[in-house]
Amino acid sequence: MLLYSTYLGLGITLPGTLLWRWLRGNVDGFVMDVAFGTGLGFVASILAYIPGRAIGVPLLPLVVPVATVLAFIALPGLRRHWRSRQAPLPLWWGWAVAAACVLGLGVIARYGLMVEPLTFPDAAFQYSDMSYQLALAGELKHHMPGQIPYVIGQELNYHWFFHAEAAAANWQTGLELDLLLRRLLPVTTALVPIVSVAALTTRLARQSWAGPVAAWLLLLVSSLDVYGWNGSRPVAQAGFSSGVLMYSQTHAFAVVLALPVVWLVLSLLRGEGARRTGNWILLAVGLAGLAGAKASFVPLLMTALALVVVVQLLLQRRVDRAVVGVATAAVIAFGFAQVVLFSAGSSGVALSPGQTFVAMSSKFGFGGHDDTRPAVALMVGATAATLLVSWSIAGLGMLGFLRQKRWKDPAVVFLLGFLVAALAAVTVFRHPGYSQLYFVRAAFPVAIVASGWGLTVLLSGVRLRALVPRMVGAFGLGLLLARALAALTRDRPNRHQGVLAISWQVVWPWLAVLVLAGAIAFAARRRRLSQGLGLGVLLVLGVSSLSVPTTIVEAIKHPVCVSGPDRSECRHPPRQIPAGGETAARYVRDHSAVGDRLATNSHCSPAYQAKACDARNFWLSAYAERRVLVEGWAYTPIAQSRTDSRAAISGPFWDQPLLAANDRVFQDPSRADLDYLRNNYGVRWLVFDLNVTRPSAELKQLLPLRFGTGAVEVYELVPIPDGPSVNG
């Protein structure tokens, strides 16, 4: 932790903070400088690592902090940026946001780190995507440009900048990649957005209390999920708290980079910032990093800016040059990412209006035998309305912008457009792995910022001492209302009921919440209508936070214990790695050349269960940090092009002759079979999962056994001379 903290503090945050202050003109204040400077430091590290790794100098990112610190020490014009020129925030602000960070750390620890053991044998029962992330980081540790490491011939058409940063951190610290990916980086990407949201909301609202409120809402608010029939599991699939980010590390990392970009866009739209040239430089760098970190953010930026253009044309009959410039920069970043990073591929995302709601309707109890067109329309309509309302809740505070025609502010239009764009994207696109939902998740922290700002408008004119108990009371009343609604909807809808009856059972809870919130607003005297509306908004946000007390109770009732089926008291997900697999893979890494390719008989996860092949099998390439001829084949461009989600994961391998050539050497190989893999594909090591097949007597005579442990044996595919065998 000390080593990583030194790397993060001196190698990422310090140079990023100094550069941010200089290019921005030192106008943002200490907290924003550090939070957004950390994002800038990450981008600088990645952009230095890419050419450095390509030319064989993976430690090139060290130039960034060294050169930056030396420049800011030596040059008189830069020395003044060692200190912030803005007044510090109140002491209570820091403690309130720090308390939110403690909660965030607790969430990521309990629902991320603690359910993903780092040491074996318990770590063999990990979430399948963890070894996928590790495989990509290992690939970019040794190769640039990278490829899919677990199957030959597949380009790495993916947002891989997070994995490049992990590889850069590994080179500079010597810390194992799995320690970085499963412990240290997740904590960073969980906590930095909390501080960023608090700082950004405070700056936009110009009210100190707005920042801590936004930080806590970021952790507490989820989807409006008041249905009692699913226990603590969300029906609406929108658990936004830090606990979910462990399982999409690319998204979590992108949030760290996205919030500084949002602030730069808002600054340029409003003409703020002491150094406009510096703002444009920061925007270009930020967009470059964001485009490679996650594919869902830049399209939302483009669409939100398009809405700003439309509003300006309607209201002013002209468009500001700043808007055009920012939109152009976003389009260029998007085009670059599509052509260079994603090779103009869609990664499985396809236009299919309404498919998200059709696919998720079963979670709400739909799916009976009535498949007539009116019944299907009613089913999809009820599901769509419920989900769209639920996903919009985070931005409800933007109702405050109706006051004093604040909706004419281009910053307000942009923030609203960001949320609208996300809702539109999740409505019209589909993906076999439901990745279209990440458009909504991308909008969530931005919507929370906008809500925090909007609440300050609605609740203006009230002293903070009187305001705090009212806000807490409204939020707490929302929690109680959510609990009551959950108790009233405990009976899961019967699929064989009429569609109309199910639709009403699904729709009435959120209708009741909105009606009650509206009643609170309009019950206030007219001169206090905005305050009543603000309290109504907090009530709805409280209702959408039902998962917080529920998960706390679940955490107390069910202590964390993750292991295999030999410990019945533990949670035991399917085994992803055979016994001894990690140790054997590390042996190969330590005794092979970077260019060596491996072959294995382990293709499915878990390999020894009699079921359809789940091709999310990446453990060998992950822990060996070497390319494998054919391991698994999920999450590749070809697999993702399959429209059916099950086929994308469990569909057959597309090159059956190659798979047959691979598998022959693990069954009853001839010398010709072994020579074919060695000479044609550069295979130098054979890794047997003994749960699948065991090496034949002939192979044992031909190749030397280099390592064996548990259920894994490793053979070196040495040249086979004519005559006596290797072991003869």
Side-chain angles (χ1 to χ4, degrees):
M1 289 190 291
L2 180 61
L3 185 58
Y4 174 77
S5 297
T6 302
Y7 164 76
L8 180 65
L10 300 182
I12 301 296
T13 299
L14 178 60
T17 298
L18 293 172
L19 291 170
W20 180 271
R21 280 184 183 161
W22 171 52
L23 292 169
R24 282 281 296 161
N26 207 339
V27 296
D28 290 325
F30 176 79
V31 177
M32 187 174 281
D33 291 341
V34 171
F36 291 173
T38 300
L40 177 61
F42 276 131
V43 176
S45 173
I46 295 166
L47 295 182
Y49 179 75
I50 292 173
R53 176 65 276 180
I55 63 175
V57 187
L59 293 177
L60 186 63
L62 286 173
V63 172
V64 176
V66 172
T68 300
V69 170
L70 290 177
F72 278 76
I73 291 174
L75 300 178
L78 298 179
R79 288 178 195 159
R80 65 179 184 271
H81 296 300
W82 282 95
R83 294 180 62 88
S84 172
R85 292 162 55 187
Q86 304 304 308
L89 290 163
L91 187 62
W92 59 262
W93 190 101
W95 282 108
V97 175
C101 288
V102 171
L103 175 61
L105 181 60
V107 172
I108 187 68
R110 171 60 178 81
Y111 297 100
L113 311 183
M114 295 174 70
V115 296
E116 288 296 334
L118 189 65
T119 57
F120 288 82
D122 290 349
F125 299 87
Q126 61 186 245
Y127 176 54
S128 61
D129 283 12
M130 301 307 293
S131 54
Y132 169 71
Q133 306 290 348
L134 183 59
L136 297 191
E139 167 71 9
L140 295 174
K141 175 182 175 180
H142 301 292
H143 304 281
M144 189 67 67
Q147 301 175 8
I148 295 290
Y150 49 84
V151 60
I152 191 172
Q154 292 290 290
E155 296 181 358
L156 186 57
N157 298 335
Y158 190 68
H159 31 248
W160 46 262
F161 277 21
F162 168 74
H163 308 92
E165 169 54 30
N170 170 263
W171 276 107
Q172 294 175 54
T173 65
L175 296 170
E176 287 284 1
L177 284 172
D178 57 339
L179 178 62
L180 289 164
L181 291 174
R182 299 172 66 181
R183 289 294 182 269
L184 300 170
L185 284 169
V187 171
T188 305
T189 56
L191 298 185
V192 172
I194 299 173
V195 182
S196 298
V197 163
L200 179 54
T201 308
T202 299
R203 185 63 186 271
L204 286 172
R206 294 186 171 89
Q207 292 282 345
S208 296
W209 62 264
V213 167
W216 280 89
L217 291 177
L218 182 72
L219 290 163
L220 298 178
V221 173
S222 182
S223 55
L224 202 157
D225 200 4
V226 295
Y227 306 100
W229 61 68
N230 221 33
S232 62
R233 297 173 60 193
V235 178
Q237 291 289 301
F240 290 108
S241 71
S242 299
V244 303
L245 301 185
M246 178 95 173
Y247 296 107
S248 180
Q249 299 193 32
T250 53
H251 175 82
F253 184 67
V255 173
V256 175
L257 309 187
L259 291 169
V261 171
V262 168
W263 173 233
L264 291 167
V265 170
L266 296 176
S267 296
L268 289 167
L269 293 182
R270 306 174 85 184
E272 297 179 355
R275 296 170 60 92
R276 290 184 62 84
T277 301
N279 281 349
W280 286 106
I281 294 173
L282 286 171
L283 180 65
V285 173
L287 285 172
L290 188 58
K294 191 70 174 179
S296 50
F297 280 88
V298 176
L300 299 184
L301 286 169
M302 293 167 51
T303 309
L305 289 165
L307 182 61
V308 175
V309 170
V310 170
V311 170
Q312 287 194 343
L313 286 174
L314 291 175
L315 297 181
Q316 304 173 8
R317 305 292 182 182
R318 65 180 181 83
V319 180
D320 292 341
R321 288 186 297 175
V323 178
V324 175
V326 174
T328 302
V331 170
I332 292 173
F334 177 75
F336 175 83
Q338 287 297 311
V339 173
V340 176
L341 298 178
F342 308 132
S343 298
S346 65
S347 298
V349 177
L351 189 66
S352 184
Q355 184 59 36
T356 298
F357 309 125
V358 173
M360 297 186 69
S361 61
S362 62
K363 294 182 177 294
F364 293 94
F366 293 106
H369 299 295
D370 190 353
D371 57 355
T372 61
R373 181 170 296 181
V376 172
L378 185 59
M379 173 189 77
V380 174
T383 303
T386 302
L387 289 173
L388 291 176
V389 167
S390 176
W391 294 336
S392 302
I393 293 300
L396 192 61
M398 284 190 273
L399 289 172
F401 298 141
L402 296 175
R403 290 192 66 190
Q404 304 171 356
K405 298 183 179 180
R406 289 175 181 257
W407 51 269
K408 293 184 177 181
D409 185 338
V412 170
V413 176
F414 173 81
L415 293 173
L416 176 62
F418 207 88
L419 178 58
V420 171
L423 298 175
V426 81
T427 299
V428 302
F429 292 116
R430 64 160 174 78
H431 185 272
Y434 293 98
S435 290
Q436 72 271 26
L437 295 180
Y438 282 102
F439 286 112
V440 181
R441 290 173 177 160
F444 177 75
V446 178
I448 288 292
V449 168
S451 268
W453 180 13
L455 282 171
T456 64
V457 179
L458 290 172
L459 300 173
S460 61
V462 183
R463 296 183 61 184
L464 185 59
R465 184 172 298 177
L467 184 61
V468 170
R470 298 180 192 179
M471 295 174 66
V472 172
F475 193 86
L477 181 60
L479 283 173
L480 293 176
L481 176 59
R483 172 52 59 192
L485 291 170
L488 292 172
T489 59
R490 295 188 70 84
D491 294 330
R492 187 177 180 84
N494 188 334
R495 293 173 179 269
H496 300 289
Q497 286 179 260
V499 175
L500 184 61
I502 298 177
S503 298
W504 175 245
Q505 193 172 351
V506 167
V507 166
W508 80 260
W510 60 260
L511 276 178
V513 172
L514 297 181
V515 168
L516 180 58
I520 290 175
F522 287 99
R525 286 181 294 176
R526 185 167 183 80
R527 63 191 180 89
R528 294 183 179 176
L529 177 61
S530 66
Q531 295 174 23
L533 186 58
L535 295 177
V537 168
L538 284 167
L539 178 139
V540 178
L541 294 175
V543 172
S544 67
S545 301
L546 175 63
S547 62
V548 176
T550 303
T551 51
I552 290 175
V553 172
E554 290 291 323
I556 295 173
K557 292 169 68 175
H558 303 289
V560 175
C561 178
V562 181
S563 184
D566 54 319
R567 294 177 60 188
S568 59
E569 77 279 11
C570 287
R571 169 182 173 266
H572 46 87
R575 175 185 281 274
Q576 302 295 334
I577 303 171
E582 178 265 351
T583 306
R586 291 300 194 211
Y587 172 86
V588 174
R589 182 190 67 176
D590 296 339
H591 294 82
S592 64
V594 170
D596 286 358
R597 180 168 284 146
L598 318 181
T600 182
N601 61 342
S602 179
H603 305 306
C604 307
S605 176
Y608 45 86
Q609 287 190 359
K611 65 172 188 177
C613 178
D614 184 338
R616 293 176 295 181
N617 194 58
F618 322 109
W619 66 268
L620 179 56
S621 54
Y623 288 96
E625 298 177 12
R626 297 292 182 266
R627 291 173 175 174
V628 183
L629 184 63
V630 183
E631 188 178 7
W633 50 83
Y635 301 161
T636 56
I638 293 179
Q640 294 290 78
S641 66
R642 295 165 174 165
T643 57
D644 180 73
S645 58
R646 182 172 298 178
I649 293 174
S650 302
F653 185 53
W654 51 85
D655 191 343
Q656 287 297 312
L658 174 61
L659 184 62
N662 179 94
D663 290 350
R664 275 197 300 272
V665 304
F666 294 94
Q667 294 165 358
D668 189 15
S670 64
R671 296 188 182 209
D673 294 328
L674 295 168
D675 286 339
Y676 180 76
L677 289 194
R678 176 178 174 82
N679 298 330
N680 289 64
Y681 294 104
V683 174
R684 295 295 182 267
W685 300 84
L686 304 182
V687 180
F688 277 83
D689 181 350
L690 303 181
N691 297 301
V692 183
T693 56
R694 293 179 174 272
S696 66
E698 177 68 14
L699 183 136
K700 290 183 177 182
Q701 290 296 314
L702 293 173
L703 300 180
L705 171 65
R706 296 303 190 193
F707 188 80
T709 181
V712 180
E713 290 184 353
V714 177
Y715 291 80
E716 185 176 2
L717 184 48
V718 296
I720 304 173
D722 294 332
S725 64
V726 173
N727 295 327

